[in-house]
Amino acid sequence: MSAFVRAIGTATPPHDIHHAFIDWASARIDPAMRPVFRRMASRAGIGHRWSVLADPVGPGGFYAGRMPGTEARMAVYADRAPALARDAVEALAQRIDCGGITHLVVASCTGFVAPGIDQILARSLGLSPSVERTLIGFMGCYAAAAALRTARHIVRSEPMARVLVVTVELSTLHLQDTHAIEPLLAMLQFGDGAAAALVTSEAGGIALGTPFAAALPDSADLIRWTITDQGFAMHLDGAVPGRIGHALADPAFVARVTGGVPPAELFWAVHAGGRSILDAVGHALALPPDALAQSRRVLAEKGNMSSVTLMAVLAAMLADPPPQRQGVALAFGPGLAAEGLALEHVG
């Protein structure tokens, strides 16, 4: 029994905050380092990032004056995250009939609320109280792979299941008060977004094949979130791309990910965690220059939306199918760990 991603809908908030953030961050950095920061920002491969916050670093914005506490940030999450998730579900419903949902799988790592966002969303959508809910929290960027893997397991065990998979992240709620260039460059990557997919046993779209997961050795501190009194502080070490490249240089690991198929013969839905990460994947796997074009486009148009990003790449591939029939979904996150699934485009 196979499971298929039949369709995906995506949503981003209306406020483009990328260039305002660059100006704000530049003003905080030592003047001697500002040209370095701006040069690195221009090379990030990001043109836009979207936020639920209107002009957050401008006069009167959410971060104007004193940085808000975690309580204030979570209040915004509780209000805006379910609404943005619903926007993604409504975008999905424009592509396919979303009636008869039996299971709801929600992934999010940028906020906490109880009752959970899964319950809030289910109630907002008018889903049956009997819908089985699963909430995947704090797994970071590879949570989309875990959510799709969970949906696959459900459908393979219950062929009549209709699983709604939702990822939603409000990363811009976690701006930190810092003058250091490295964390500012990490914050430069992240934006808000949501995605929703319907997974069923009915053939169509993209088939979800064998999942894989691997924790990379000696890398637990390279990507991490720290919960503070002023939101969640992201640490994204500059060594991450090199460590990913090193892992993908291991033939045994690559064979496990690809099933023994040469990487260049597959399509690649890679989480757009940053330009340097995409460069590392492409170089290590010796992929053709355009193999990660969809991932780079998502990064350019929306930035890194944590768990939403891989779903956005898959949505792009459903809209514009790659020439290869078989492929791989691949994402990286805290740990440092890699998660993904084999894919097959069935139209």
Side-chain angles (χ1 to χ4, degrees):
M1 177 62 64
S2 296
F4 301 86
V5 177
R6 301 297 313 287
I8 298 176
T10 63
T12 50
H15 310 295
D16 187 351
I17 49 86
H18 185 60
H19 295 287
F21 171 84
I22 292 174
D23 292 341
W24 175 85
S26 295
R28 300 173 69 82
I29 296 170
D30 184 292
M33 295 300 296
R34 288 174 188 169
V36 175
F37 176 81
R38 287 194 171 271
R39 183 166 62 251
M40 297 180 77
S42 69
R43 294 176 179 176
I46 301 172
H48 307 277
R49 290 181 297 121
W50 307 90
S51 176
V52 297
L53 303 169
D55 192 19
V57 295
F62 188 66
Y63 296 110
R66 183 179 179 183
M67 284 280 170
T70 302
E71 179 182 2
R73 300 178 196 228
M74 292 302 95
V76 176
Y77 177 88
D79 178 52
R80 305 290 180 86
L84 188 59
R86 177 163 182 157
D87 289 345
V89 176
E90 291 176 351
L92 172 66
Q94 294 177 7
R95 293 166 171 78
I96 197 168
D97 179 10
C98 292
I101 296 299
T102 60
H103 297 74
L104 174 63
V105 180
V106 179
S108 186
C109 75
T110 47
F112 294 108
V113 60
I117 189 173
D118 55 319
Q119 290 178 285
I120 297 171
L121 181 60
R123 186 166 56 248
S124 173
L125 294 172
L127 299 182
S128 169
S130 65
V131 165
E132 297 181 23
R133 293 172 286 101
T134 301
L135 179 60
I136 297 172
F138 236 65
M139 290 188 75
C141 297
Y142 55 65
L148 292 173
R149 180 184 70 224
T150 301
R152 177 181 182 269
H153 291 328
I154 292 169
V155 168
R156 283 165 60 86
S157 65
E158 300 182 38
M160 299 305 294
R162 291 173 61 80
V163 186
L164 178 62
V165 177
V166 177
T167 58
V168 58
E169 304 289 5
L170 305 188
S171 302
T172 65
L173 292 184
H174 299 292
L175 192 71
Q176 297 297 300
D177 186 9
T178 180
H179 297 267
I181 192 169
E182 186 173 25
L184 288 169
L185 286 170
M187 286 184 276
L188 172 78
Q189 306 286 327
F190 288 93
D192 301 347
L198 179 66
V199 179
T200 73
S201 63
E202 183 181 355
I206 295 176
L208 298 173
T210 304
F212 60 85
L216 307 188
D218 303 319
S219 61
D221 291 333
L222 296 186
I223 301 178
R224 63 182 187 270
W225 287 85
T226 302
I227 300 176
T228 77
D229 292 338
Q230 293 184 332
F232 306 164
M234 158 63 76
H235 175 76
L236 184 61
D237 197 286
V240 168
R243 192 63 58 86
I244 289 172
H246 179 75
L248 292 176
D250 179 359
F253 179 72
V254 173
R256 182 182 170 198
V257 169
T258 65
V261 179
E265 296 180 11
L266 301 167
F267 70 84
W268 289 85
V270 178
H271 165 70
R275 181 193 60 79
S276 58
I277 289 176
L278 294 176
D279 288 348
V281 172
H283 177 75
L285 296 176
L287 298 178
D290 62 346
L292 302 180
Q294 298 283 30
S295 295
R296 295 187 190 279
R297 187 171 299 116
V298 168
L299 181 67
E301 295 175 355
K302 302 177 181 181
N304 180 347
M305 299 174 288
S306 190
S307 69
V308 179
T309 314
L310 180 61
M311 294 275 277
V313 175
L314 290 171
M317 290 183 165
L318 282 169
D320 184 16
Q324 302 92 338
R325 185 178 177 87
Q326 293 181 302
V328 174
L330 177 63
F332 303 92
L336 171 67
E339 299 235 2
L341 305 96
L343 305 174
E344 183 176 0
H345 199 287
V346 298

